[in-house]
Amino acid sequence: MKRLLTVICLGMMTAGHSWADNPEPDTRDMSTKQLQTLVLSQSKSTPGRTYVKATMLATPASEAKRKYYPAAAKAAGQKGVALVECQFDQMGNLINCENMAEEPGGFGFGEATVTLAQKYFTLDMRDLHADSNNKWVKIMLCWPN
């Protein structure tokens, strides 16, 4: 089954550091695109889940992202990326979100993304012509510093 993913990156960074220059890159020097690639390489589709492509009706405002930006990451000036998988209800609200991958680890980007997804994201159910039962969406959220 195809892996469908919604990528939401507010305030994208510009590329500038090549992985070839450093086999174990310092994620602080990585572009958002490089972090996305790293997170995707760590992520696998979960067996038994049906993933759907959906349009978002609502996403968090910049103020919400600032409010939930992980404190340790903010203090370190660290940007990051997290990938979560969520189910959704008949109204398009995201529920049962799980952190699937984050980069860099240990800063709380996955937990913050789960919180934002469940509080602020809403799917456009007009795009989904199927029952929402046991359907999942993947969302990647970029956290610029």
PDB file of all heavy atoms in Angstrom, residues 3 19 70:
ATOM      1  N   ARG A   3       2.402   4.828   0.877  1.00  0.00           N
ATOM      2  CA  ARG A   3       2.525   5.619   2.093  1.00  0.00           C
ATOM      3  C   ARG A   3       2.140   7.041   1.751  1.00  0.00           C
ATOM      4  O   ARG A   3       2.789   7.678   0.939  1.00  0.00           O
ATOM      5  CB  ARG A   3       3.948   5.567   2.621  1.00  0.00           C
ATOM      6  CG  ARG A   3       4.299   4.228   3.144  1.00  0.00           C
ATOM      7  CD  ARG A   3       5.699   4.089   3.626  1.00  0.00           C
ATOM      8  NE  ARG A   3       6.425   5.315   3.811  1.00  0.00           N
ATOM      9  CZ  ARG A   3       7.594   5.383   4.395  1.00  0.00           C
ATOM     10  NH1 ARG A   3       8.172   4.319   4.843  1.00  0.00           N
ATOM     11  NH2 ARG A   3       8.220   6.523   4.524  1.00  0.00           N
ATOM     12  N   TRP A  19      25.204  16.067   3.692  1.00  0.00           N
ATOM     13  CA  TRP A  19      25.488  14.917   4.558  1.00  0.00           C
ATOM     14  C   TRP A  19      26.822  14.288   4.208  1.00  0.00           C
ATOM     15  O   TRP A  19      27.476  13.708   5.041  1.00  0.00           O
ATOM     16  CB  TRP A  19      24.390  13.878   4.430  1.00  0.00           C
ATOM     17  CG  TRP A  19      23.128  14.264   5.097  1.00  0.00           C
ATOM     18  CD1 TRP A  19      22.808  15.479   5.625  1.00  0.00           C
ATOM     19  CD2 TRP A  19      22.007  13.449   5.310  1.00  0.00           C
ATOM     20  NE1 TRP A  19      21.550  15.460   6.142  1.00  0.00           N
ATOM     21  CE2 TRP A  19      21.036  14.222   5.954  1.00  0.00           C
ATOM     22  CE3 TRP A  19      21.706  12.134   5.002  1.00  0.00           C
ATOM     23  CZ2 TRP A  19      19.801  13.722   6.309  1.00  0.00           C
ATOM     24  CZ3 TRP A  19      20.479  11.641   5.359  1.00  0.00           C
ATOM     25  CH2 TRP A  19      19.539  12.434   6.003  1.00  0.00           C
ATOM     26  N   PRO A  70       9.182  22.519  22.050  1.00  0.00           N
ATOM     27  CA  PRO A  70       9.816  21.894  23.219  1.00  0.00           C
ATOM     28  C   PRO A  70      10.843  22.815  23.876  1.00  0.00           C
ATOM     29  O   PRO A  70      11.696  23.398  23.203  1.00  0.00           O
ATOM     30  CB  PRO A  70      10.482  20.651  22.636  1.00  0.00           C
ATOM     31  CG  PRO A  70       9.721  20.361  21.375  1.00  0.00           C
ATOM     32  CD  PRO A  70       9.315  21.704  20.842  1.00  0.00           C
TER      33      PRO A  70
END
